[in-house]
Amino acid sequence: MNHAPRPAPSPATVIRSGPLNWVQQWHWYERTVPAPRRVNPTPLADHCHVPPPATVADVHRALAALTVRHEALRTTVDPLRPVQHVHRADWAPLPVDTVDVPVASADTLEAATAALAALPIDPERDPPWLARVLLEAGEPRAVVLAAHHVVIDGWGLAVLLDQLHDLLRGTGAPANTPAHPLDAADDQDPERARAAEREWLTRLADNPTCVLAPFGGRDDGEGRHRLQHRSVEAYDDLDRVARRHRVSPEIAMLAALAHDVAARTGEHRFLASVVVSNRARAALRSSIGVRALTVPVQIDLRPGAGFGEVAASVAAASAAAYRHGRWRPAELVAAQARTDRRRGVVTVPTIEYNCYSWPRDYLVPAPNTAPGGAATWISSAPDEPCDTLYVDFSRDGGAVTLDVTVGDHLLDAGQAAALPARLCAFLRALADGDERALPAHRLTPPAPGWWRAPQGWVCLPRVADVVRGHPGVLDATVTPDEDATAKGGAPHLVVHARTAPGVTPGDLHVHVLDHLGEVPGLLAPGRYVLLPAAPGSGRLPDLPRATTGGPETPQLPARPPATDAERALAAAVTAVGPPDPPARAGGRDAVDMNRCLADHGITLIAVPRLLALLHRSGFTGIASDELAGTASLGHLAGALEPLPPRVHRGGENSP
């Protein structure tokens, strides 16, 4: 159905406006991604207890006071531009309701938090947060808060709950004035931004992809496992290890995780996506605005290195990642996607690592947690598989907590449960003085069907299945080029495909590229050899190679738009892109449909405007997250659909 757009908030309530900061821009784009595909949960949600004798009226007064204190609680964002608007404190009613519960148990609080997080928040027109008071026998027992990630981050939500809890206890708000999102001037120096992009493209140029995929677990990828492991003993062990090697506990745990991955897989160079929070100053520590940033950390370890060297390497890489990641993150993502497409791979971080550095003493302790031991719970769901190992780390109430999310094709349930226990045992050995040198070779063999290419791990049967899915391909086999390796050349894949007339190697290459972001363990082979469907027609000659700095891939000719949908997409690309991107070789208005959006210089910031232009041209059908991938423009245009005609209230079609 086509609904009339809702009116935006009245400009009369806006007291100041300004650009989104360099972290908010990512979440501003991400709000357009369908919820099941989002990397970061939106909205964030958590809860705190209501200390007696506080009443529901006290909760309302405390939330009103926090709304006055924090501009983020009364901020909206522009739908088409990375701009935020701060409103008066009384511009909208407090988004608070109450729910009666039989008992405010830990399970009830968990369910209530999940239920509030599932409610939609419109950051363009409404307050970017929701609150729910849980009543037991008519008395308030807990407050659940949910916040949209474009305005408030995870640290900020914890700060908000801490301050709410303090107000309900009667201790009042902190004396210092918090820094608001618009107080941070745009400090992105263009030259430093360009240097950061060059640095990261160099560091990521030969990074292997998804190194955990071949090791253990089932390869059907039909489930994911979520587990939490709490250990009181590991708290002191981690503290001793961090002090000995002069790093933070967060870095020490990431180094232990990197050591485990390298030892088990034999991969000493891989990517970790790390969430860091820039709150070094006191004013920022009490701010609820978005400061946390996900940065790509290039981990490069030396075989045989002791843990001290591993920890120092991880610390240096994390510091470099933060410095480079803070400059123009949207442009960096697009540039990385452009490089990935040329290499024919999708760079998937091996580890997603999130550090919760705030104390959350008001939360209900995990049930059945032994005073000095560990407790683990695990749940499995037939969810979309994870291509990455997600590990959330926190030190709450004298215990180390590891939350792990992992897909079946990475680790099965037993291996997932063993991972945090193995890490805690590793910390105990390190605390006792063991340096645990990093082995030079992997401890776990790869699963059948997987092969290590220079770009990363590849699943040969999956590449063959994707090639067979192209129209006109009757059969296909995928094999490593052993002759090239024996002669000293770089190993690469060769696809032998039996095809009907008219299918070209370039067609197969584009087809595989269009599936890069959809199939784990897939990369574009370096050579495509076509065999005719009818015997006796001979073999087609080998393709010329294109040198792109990565694996050799066929050089594809440029293709102009041919259909109405392609012309509409090309016009939108021209409108939102830079004046002279590299892919536009045929003139200012020429758009190559064989290349992806990143090749044309389209950044994440431009995605909402591009979608709006397509809608204005009468087309829909593309999800915003598809535009951040490596699919060609021709592939994207093929998914476009005409908008349904609008219907007037009288039932007649609009002209």
Side-chain angles (χ1 to χ4, degrees), residues 35 47 49 61 176 207 240 252 294 349 375 419 474 476 488 498 503 560:
H47 60 270
H49 293 286
R61 280 192 291 269
N176 64 308
N207 188 74
R240 292 165 60 193
T294 300
L419 174 65
L474 306 180
R498 192 162 59 90
V503 178

Side-chain angles (χ1 to χ4, degrees), residues 5-86:
R6 294 174 55 192
S10 170
T13 67
V14 176
I15 58 176
R16 63 176 180 152
S17 300
L20 299 177
N21 66 32
W22 44 275
V23 185
Q24 287 178 295
Q25 289 176 2
W26 167 258
H27 299 302
W28 174 79
Y29 158 75
E30 193 177 34
R31 84 196 194 290
T32 68
V33 176
R37 304 183 187 177
R38 291 180 188 143
V39 175
N40 295 288
T42 303
L44 302 163
D46 212 331
H47 60 270
C48 73
H49 293 286
V50 175
T55 64
V56 173
D58 292 329
V59 174
H60 280 254
R61 280 192 291 269
L63 291 173
L66 291 172
T67 301
V68 173
R69 176 177 173 78
H70 296 290
E71 288 185 351
L73 295 178
R74 42 193 167 95
T75 294
T76 58
V77 297
D78 191 280
L80 297 181
R81 300 177 302 147
V83 173
Q84 54 191 323
H85 309 287
V86 179

Side-chain angles (χ1 to χ4, degrees), residues 311-366:
S313 176
V314 171
S318 299
Y322 182 75
R323 287 197 302 270
H324 294 295
R326 69 172 296 182
W327 304 104
R328 305 177 77 170
E331 286 83 347
L332 183 57
V333 170
Q336 181 178 332
R338 181 165 58 248
T339 299
D340 286 343
R341 179 173 172 80
R342 290 170 182 162
R343 295 168 54 225
V345 298
V346 174
T347 301
V348 179
T350 303
I351 305 168
E352 290 273 2
Y353 183 68
N354 196 356
C355 304
Y356 294 105
S357 303
W358 58 84
R360 296 186 289 177
D361 297 333
Y362 48 76
L363 296 183
V364 176

Side-chain angles (χ1 to χ4, degrees), residues 135-151:
L135 303 178
E136 178 185 321
E139 296 295 327
R141 299 301 185 194
V143 179
V144 183
L145 284 179
H148 201 284
H149 213 329
V150 76
V151 180

Side-chain angles (χ1 to χ4, degrees), residues 200-226:
W200 271 110
L201 291 180
T202 300
R203 293 166 70 90
L204 298 177
D206 60 344
N207 188 74
T209 64
C210 203
V211 298
L212 284 181
F215 299 93
R218 304 195 308 267
D219 59 2
D220 53 19
E222 291 182 352
R224 81 168 44 173
H225 312 294
R226 298 177 178 88

